[in-house]
Amino acid sequence: MSEAPLIREARDEDAAAVAKLIYLTSPGGFSLFGGSARRGLRLIEAAFATPGTDCTRDVITLAELDGEIAGAMSAFPTEEGDERRRRFVRVALKRRPPWRWAKIVLVARHGAAHSPTPPADSFYVDSLATAERFRRRGVAAALLAAAERGARERGLPSVALDTRESNSGARALYDRLGYEVTAEVPASPPIPALVGYVKRLG
């Protein structure tokens, strides 16, 4: 029988490991905001250390296997999402020269306008990633179970998330765990086609 993932809150010293995992959820986006892949990783680390962003330490949950960080999830009440994303963009702008700001703001607004809208009273999984060597070992499912616990603790009736339409592995997992498709948004470059999911909690 395989080992079950250990779920825990993120700590300050997890910044680099968290950045590598969160980066996997949108390599192109983080590279654009940061200016390169390396700077994109540094941007996530900076946002991890900044209160109120969408990947600040306090909203990150980790899964460990074999004594290593195997997966990471950023999740928070949906009503906090807009402000958390604005704070992330502000962190990005501080790290880039002023002549890059307009494009960053434009892409951020475009992404917000072309993403599925989760229910206002849901607990939103903003990012979910498993390290490649730990895939198919229950990491994502364990993190989503933690999201459901987080929703219940806050008195929220559902968990919401979205993924690329082409991410067949993730979509199969969400279907299996009882998530229902609530929105399908066509591609609007550089934003890919996205599918929104919600799981109602009993």
Side-chain angles (χ1 to χ4, degrees):
M1 189 173 180
S2 61
E3 173 190 2
L6 170 68
I7 302 300
R8 67 171 176 84
E9 296 178 350
R11 300 187 285 259
D12 290 342
E13 59 268 27
D14 298 320
V18 168
K20 289 178 182 177
L21 286 165
I22 298 298
Y23 180 84
L24 296 175
T25 65
S26 182
F30 288 119
S31 293
L32 186 151
F33 282 113
S36 69
R38 180 178 61 83
R39 291 175 180 172
L41 287 166
R42 296 275 180 84
L43 168 59
I44 300 170
E45 289 187 45
F48 179 83
T50 303
T53 74
D54 55 4
C55 54
T56 190
R57 178 180 59 80
D58 293 344
V59 300
I60 298 290
T61 302
L62 300 178
E64 288 187 355
L65 277 174
D66 305 333
E68 297 181 43
I69 294 174
M73 175 181 69
S74 168
F76 41 80
T78 295
E79 65 181 5
E80 299 177 4
D82 289 344
E83 179 59 26
R84 288 187 177 278
R85 281 183 279 277
R86 280 193 289 268
R87 292 190 182 189
F88 178 88
V89 171
R90 286 199 288 269
V91 173
L93 294 176
K94 288 179 181 178
R95 301 172 65 84
R96 300 297 305 280
W99 58 88
R100 301 291 186 189
W101 292 356
K103 184 175 183 180
I104 291 171
V105 171
L106 182 65
V107 171
R109 288 177 176 170
H110 187 74
H114 291 84
S115 296
T117 302
D121 60 352
S122 64
F123 194 58
Y124 181 65
V125 177
D126 187 68
S127 301
L128 178 65
T130 302
E132 186 173 359
R133 65 180 292 247
F134 292 111
R135 289 174 184 167
R136 301 187 182 279
R137 293 184 60 184
V139 172
L143 287 168
L144 289 171
E148 293 179 26
R149 291 193 295 273
R152 289 190 173 97
E153 288 168 2
R154 293 165 175 80
L156 299 173
S158 64
V159 175
L161 51 82
D162 50 71
T163 191
R164 294 186 305 278
E165 183 184 46
S166 61
N167 192 346
S168 57
R171 296 187 65 183
L173 173 66
Y174 304 149
D175 290 340
R176 189 166 70 249
L177 293 179
Y179 286 78
E180 298 180 357
V181 174
T182 56
E184 297 183 64
V185 181
S188 181
I191 311 302
L194 298 171
V195 181
Y197 286 85
V198 172
K199 181 175 183 178
R200 298 289 172 184
L201 305 177

